[in-house]
């Protein structure tokens, strides 16, 4: 166990209830390995860096947007791990959430894939999907080129969806 969590809980904290892959989030990357990005994001959102830090959907420390998430408490109340497991899937809240931002373009496919292969296999697939084809660095949906080696596109997600903002 690390951080008081079993290895399954530790793995799952990076698989968001809604179907997003936390390790490819700009805030997660900024928190865990890119202090300059964290500083820039904090300035952009006009919040202290500490309030911007995020260690994943199911962690104790979540970023400002994820702290106000409606899906996580809803899933807990229903006793499910992912929105795709819900009898009311896809609900209006999740539909609105998916349509709000470009990095959520693959949400429906991701939730289906979690049901098909389980969250661990899905996470391995997503890690590859968001990794630079040249150097293997994990990039966010908004890193059009790799943040380490400059390869364009920075990952399969940006190759497929481009720089939609």
């Amino acid at each position: 166990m690390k951080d008081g969590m079993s290895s399954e809980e530790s793995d799952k904290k990076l698989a968001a209830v809604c179907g997003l892959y936390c390790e490819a989030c700009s805030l997660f990357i900024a928190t865990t390995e890119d202090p300059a990005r964290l500083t820039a994001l904090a300035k952009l959102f006009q919040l202290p860096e500490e309030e911007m830090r995020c260690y994943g959907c199911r962690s104790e420390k979540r970023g400002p947007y994820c702290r106000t998430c409606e899906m996580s408490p809803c899933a807990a109340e229903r006793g499910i791990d992912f929105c795709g497991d819900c009898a009311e899937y896809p609900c209006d809240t999740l539909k609105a959430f998916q349509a709000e931002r470009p990095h959520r373009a693959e949400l429906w496919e991701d939730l289906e894939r979690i049901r098909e292969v389980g969250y661990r296999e899905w996470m391995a697939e997503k890690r590859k999907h968001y990794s630079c084809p040249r150097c293997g660095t994990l990039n966010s949906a908004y890193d059009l080129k790799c943040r380490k080696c400059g390869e364009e596109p920075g990952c399969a997600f940006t190759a497929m969806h481009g720089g939609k903002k």
Side-chain angles (χ1 to χ4, degrees):
M1 293 211 319
K2 70 179 167 184
D3 300 332
M5 298 178 137
S6 70
S7 66
E8 181 175 338
E9 290 169 328
S10 180
D11 289 347
K12 196 181 283 183
K13 79 178 180 180
L14 301 176
V17 168
C18 64
L20 290 176
Y21 177 58
C22 297
E23 282 188 295
C25 171
S26 289
L27 270 184
F28 183 86
I29 291 168
T31 299
T32 59
E33 63 178 276
D34 192 344
R37 181 181 276 207
L38 185 63
T39 299
L41 288 169
K43 280 185 181 178
L44 179 68
F45 286 93
Q46 299 179 344
L47 290 170
E49 286 183 27
E50 190 54 38
E51 285 187 42
M52 295 299 293
R53 292 185 191 282
C54 187
Y55 292 98
C57 172
R58 301 167 199 266
S59 71
E60 295 287 322
K61 182 74 174 146
R62 297 185 298 167
Y65 192 87
C66 297
R67 281 193 300 269
T68 61
C69 169
E70 295 177 50
M71 280 86 57
S72 187
C74 179
E77 183 179 298
R78 294 168 186 263
I80 58 174
D81 285 330
F82 296 96
C83 291
D85 298 332
C86 184
E88 295 180 35
Y89 170 79
C91 68
D92 289 341
T93 300
L94 190 62
K95 287 177 187 175
F97 174 80
Q98 188 275 337
E100 252 178 16
R101 301 273 187 268
H103 69 276
R104 302 172 187 160
E106 299 174 350
L107 201 66
W108 309 129
E109 295 88 351
D110 287 336
L111 286 164
E112 180 62 32
R113 193 69 182 144
I114 291 167
R115 280 196 304 250
E116 288 173 3
V117 300
Y119 78 89
R120 282 194 173 121
E121 178 63 27
W122 168 79
M123 285 177 60
E125 293 169 0
K126 294 314 287 186
R127 174 169 273 285
K128 184 176 180 188
H129 189 59
Y130 283 99
S131 291
C132 173
R134 183 190 306 168
C135 73
T137 296
L138 198 60
N139 292 291
S140 82
Y142 300 102
D143 293 319
L144 301 183
K145 59 183 179 180
C146 178
R147 54 197 181 83
K148 296 285 185 193
C149 74
E151 177 78 4
E152 283 189 61
C155 65
F157 183 96
T158 57
M160 292 169 64
H161 303 287
K164 299 173 190 159
K165 296 233 175 185

